[in-house]
Amino acid sequence: MFDVYRNDKRDLLVLSKGSAIPVLCSSNKWRKSKKRVFRVSDEIRSAVQRQGYYVRSLRATKKGMI
């Protein structure tokens, strides 16, 4: 299972269950998602195994808004 966190900038942080938030990401205020996540994509799973976490921005790009 995985823990999913969000911050005010609409960034997404995925960690393996019970892991601490990495120092790199600790400067932002992360809120834990209330939903449980059992399955994630292969890309996210491999990044969590390799790095211990996965971060992605969910912000809309200016290019997509025009």
Side-chain angles (χ1 to χ4, degrees):
M1 283 201 281
F2 298 91
D3 290 332
V4 178
Y5 295 86
R6 293 180 299 130
N7 67 5
D8 295 336
K9 298 178 184 177
R10 294 189 46 131
D11 293 335
L12 182 73
L13 173 65
V14 180
L15 301 169
S16 60
K17 184 88 173 153
S19 297
I21 295 175
V23 176
L24 176 69
C25 302
S26 63
S27 61
N28 295 327
K29 292 184 180 182
W30 295 97
R31 285 182 266 159
K32 190 173 183 179
S33 176
K34 293 180 182 180
K35 294 182 180 181
R36 288 187 182 177
V37 178
F38 295 105
R39 300 178 90 193
V40 293
S41 69
D42 293 334
E43 176 189 352
I44 294 173
R45 185 178 303 115
S46 64
V48 169
Q49 288 176 350
R50 197 173 350 102
Q51 301 178 39
Y53 63 93
Y54 174 81
V55 179
R56 182 177 75 194
S57 176
L58 297 177
R59 290 177 245 163
T61 61
K62 291 182 182 178
K63 186 177 184 180
M65 295 177 73
I66 295 176

